[in-house]
Amino acid sequence: QVQLVESGGGLVQAGGSLRLSCVGSGRILSLNGMAWYRQAPGKQRELVARITSVGTTDYADSVKGRFTLSRDNAKNTVTLQMTSLQPEDTAVYYCYFQPAPWDRTTAYWGQGTQVTVSS
């Protein structure tokens, strides 16, 4: 079993920055497969950034150049550094982990952390 705990959300003005962290515990052999999703009110949950199965990082087009995903293997932690935040970035941000890229049925979600960007 795997547990994911997010932290770092909050309220920030447009143009500001926030850093989200996700700490994993339990059976985690690699951070490949870790990702951040977000869900704004009335919208579907969308992928923000992820570490692929081969260890590279992908970003949604809407956050490229503004968000940076990093990892600390020793601490089982992934961090999402968010800069130049805009009101449209307001959402609940969720940490996600899918250990095996071929098995979507085995995946884990954190509880979510609210990010609110005021204009």
Side-chain angles (χ1 to χ4, degrees):
Q1 192 68 301
V2 170
Q3 294 79 41
L4 304 172
V5 178
E6 303 109 330
S7 63
L11 173 64
V12 65
Q13 288 188 333
S17 300
L18 281 175
R19 183 166 61 187
L20 306 182
S21 292
C22 173
V23 180
S25 60
R27 185 172 172 76
I28 298 176
L29 303 180
S30 166
L31 294 181
N32 292 352
M34 282 281 196
W36 283 96
Y37 282 75
R38 67 186 181 186
Q39 187 166 20
K43 295 188 176 181
Q44 288 191 331
R45 194 170 294 190
E46 62 176 358
L47 177 66
V48 176
R50 65 171 181 150
I51 301 173
T52 71
S53 60
V54 295
T56 57
T57 52
D58 283 343
Y59 298 92
D61 287 344
S62 59
V63 306
K64 281 181 182 177
R66 300 189 298 123
F67 291 12
T68 302
L69 183 62
S70 59
R71 62 196 292 173
D72 185 334
N73 294 326
K75 297 181 180 180
N76 275 355
T77 299
V78 292
T79 299
L80 185 68
Q81 179 68 48
M82 306 185 294
T83 63
S84 301
L85 284 161
Q86 299 302 315
E88 53 265 35
D89 294 315
T90 295
V92 178
Y93 284 70
Y94 296 92
C95 185
Y96 173 83
F97 180 48
Q98 181 180 325
W102 60 85
D103 182 9
R104 287 191 173 187
T105 64
T106 303
Y108 306 90
W109 291 94
Q111 80 283 359
T113 185
Q114 177 71 46
V115 170
T116 303
V117 185
S118 63
S119 56

